[in-house]
Amino acid sequence: MTHEGTTSVDHGRGYYDQAHLDGRGDYSWDDEHWRDFFMSVADRLIGAFAPASVLDVGCGRGLLVQALTVQGVDASGLDISEHAVATAHADVRDRLAVASATAPIEGRYDLVTCIEVLEHMSATDAQLAIDRLTAVTDRVLFSSSPDPHGEPTHVNTQPGEAWAAWFAERGFFRRTDVDLSMITPWAVVFERGELTPHEIVRRYEQQYARVRTELLDKRRALLDADRAVNSLRERLDEGPADAEEVERLRAEVAQHRHAVLVSRDHVIGLEAENGRLQRDLSVVLPELRKLQRRVTVLTKRREELTAKLQDTRQRLERNRKRVAQLEAPPAPQASLTRRVARRVRRTFA
């Protein structure tokens, strides 16, 4: 089933006033929470990539653009919402433009960001948008909610491995050494690269091994905490000597119970990350192999065309020489007569 994408009307004043923006004050540069958040994001991006130029596709009111600009980055933004651009802060409004992510993008950028945008677009438009993003940069910071979360405008939510595979089709692969979960848990950087299956597997296995080790440690800690809680409960059931001992044991039970809950949350999060990495790898590797086969075919075709081009040039050169001979002017008649006379004199001398 296909879905129609959202339009500028869907992202008007009501959209920016809704609780989907966390209900944390006014979504503007003047709000301390949002200003601090985007300044921290800008710090992270500058620290990780040191970009001289950044384009934020789906920039909203341009808060990230403004945070980057404040720190000396040449940043600009595009957004489909006329309301968002019109209500942007005066300091950054001239850096923003109303445009769809499917429109051709001018220029070239060190980094393109696209945060929580493509889930609002139809499946067809989202693919075109990926083409536009990857055409103007070698690095894309990408985030797209994998869950509708009750948001009516989320018409095209996809799991992370699907986006990873689509970017891989364009020659972009996940940077496993960059953590941008401060933006969203599913934020990722895709970077252009000619990676071999060996390098792809090495990167993902490196990340998988770290997550797997941490997951096992958390599971072990969870089991130890659960055992401690059960031991304390048994001691309580045996009947401690006095009320003071009861309170101490209850405090220990509460402390261990909290540790169990924290460890359980960590295990759940690590298992989810582990699953995402495995799915990413299973999807990206076949796409990489397809790309390599395509490169092989195109390389062979290029060699064939190069040989044909050389043959055509040689034939063209031969034809050029023939034409030059045919177009050469005939020898003057007087000169020909003199040559004939000299030959007759030599013959009869």
Side-chain angles (χ1 to χ4, degrees):
M1 179 179 180
T2 58
H3 294 281
E4 194 176 314
T6 58
T7 67
S8 179
V9 175
D10 300 307
H11 299 274
R13 180 181 301 277
Y15 177 84
Y16 284 92
D17 290 341
Q18 288 176 359
H20 78 284
L21 293 174
D22 296 339
R24 298 176 179 175
D26 179 32
Y27 184 70
S28 72
W29 184 253
D30 294 326
D31 182 84
E32 183 179 3
H33 163 75
W34 290 112
R35 184 172 61 253
D36 290 347
F37 171 74
F38 281 103
M39 284 297 291
S40 66
V41 172
D43 286 340
R44 182 76 180 97
L45 297 181
I46 293 170
F49 308 114
S53 59
V54 176
L55 176 68
D56 186 16
V57 176
C59 62
R61 289 173 173 161
L63 274 65
L64 178 56
V65 173
Q66 191 158 0
L68 289 165
T69 303
V70 165
Q71 302 194 58
V73 178
D74 182 13
S76 55
L78 306 172
D79 199 279
I80 195 174
S81 172
E82 297 177 3
H83 166 79
V85 173
T87 55
H89 194 279
D91 291 348
V92 77
R93 196 174 303 146
D94 61 348
R95 290 180 172 269
L96 312 182
V98 177
S100 169
T102 61
I105 300 173
E106 296 183 0
R108 187 82 187 168
Y109 302 89
D110 294 334
L111 173 67
V112 170
T113 60
C114 185
I115 302 172
E116 304 302 299
V117 177
L118 299 197
E119 69 271 19
H120 299 278
M121 305 176 70
S122 69
T124 301
D125 283 350
Q127 292 298 319
L128 179 55
I130 297 175
D131 288 335
R132 301 304 192 198
L133 299 177
T134 54
V136 296
T137 189
D138 292 331
R139 184 181 294 121
V140 178
L141 162 57
F142 182 77
S143 174
S144 181
S145 297
D147 216 315
H149 301 301
E151 169 57 65
T153 62
H154 285 187
V155 297
N156 183 34
T157 53
Q158 301 290 343
E161 62 268 24
W163 297 114
W166 290 325
F167 272 91
E169 292 174 5
R170 280 84 170 178
F172 282 68
F173 302 96
R174 174 198 282 263
R175 281 280 299 272
T176 56
D177 60 329
V178 178
D179 180 13
L180 292 173
S181 57
M182 62 174 297
I183 300 174
T184 66
W186 43 83
V188 62
V189 172
F190 293 113
E191 200 165 82
R192 189 190 305 276
E194 297 179 2
L195 304 184
T196 63
H198 171 89
E199 177 61 18
I200 287 287
V201 172
R202 188 196 67 78
R203 286 188 182 187
Y204 276 89
E205 283 297 322
Q206 184 181 52
Q207 184 78 352
Y208 171 77
R210 181 192 66 78
V211 173
R212 181 67 177 171
T213 299
E214 187 174 353
L215 174 61
L216 293 176
D217 288 344
K218 295 298 182 183
R219 283 178 174 172
R220 191 176 300 111
L222 177 61
L223 179 59
D224 290 343
D226 189 59
R227 286 172 175 170
V229 168
N230 291 333
S231 175
L232 290 170
R233 283 174 175 167
E234 289 177 1
R235 289 171 62 185
L236 281 172
D237 292 340
E238 291 173 358
D242 52 38
E244 183 178 345
E245 178 71 5
V246 170
E247 290 302 320
R248 187 181 66 79
L249 289 175
R250 283 178 177 171
E252 288 187 27
V253 169
Q255 181 180 359
H256 284 290
R257 184 176 295 163
H258 175 72
V260 168
L261 294 175
V262 171
S263 296
R264 186 175 298 159
D265 289 342
H266 285 166
V267 167
I268 292 172
L270 288 168
E271 285 178 338
E273 185 177 356
N274 182 33
R276 284 197 299 271
L277 287 169
Q278 288 181 314
R279 290 192 297 271
D280 276 2
L281 187 58
S282 66
V283 173
V284 168
L285 276 178
E287 295 296 335
L288 179 60
R289 294 190 184 99
K290 285 197 296 186
L291 286 170
Q292 288 181 316
R293 289 194 294 270
R294 184 179 176 188
V295 168
T296 301
V297 171
L298 291 174
T299 301
K300 184 177 180 181
R301 180 59 177 162
R302 185 183 64 182
E303 292 173 351
E304 293 173 351
L305 291 174
T306 300
K308 287 183 178 179
L309 178 60
Q310 290 176 344
D311 182 62
T312 301
R313 284 175 174 171
Q314 291 172 356
R315 288 189 283 108
L316 181 62
E317 181 63 20
R318 289 196 297 269
N319 290 335
R320 188 189 65 77
K321 290 179 179 179
R322 289 175 184 171
V323 170
Q325 291 174 354
L326 293 174
E327 291 180 345
Q333 186 66 30
S335 177
L336 178 60
T337 302
R338 285 195 296 272
R339 287 201 300 271
V340 170
R342 284 197 296 270
R343 287 184 182 180
V344 169
R345 286 195 294 272
R346 285 199 297 268
T347 303
F348 293 100

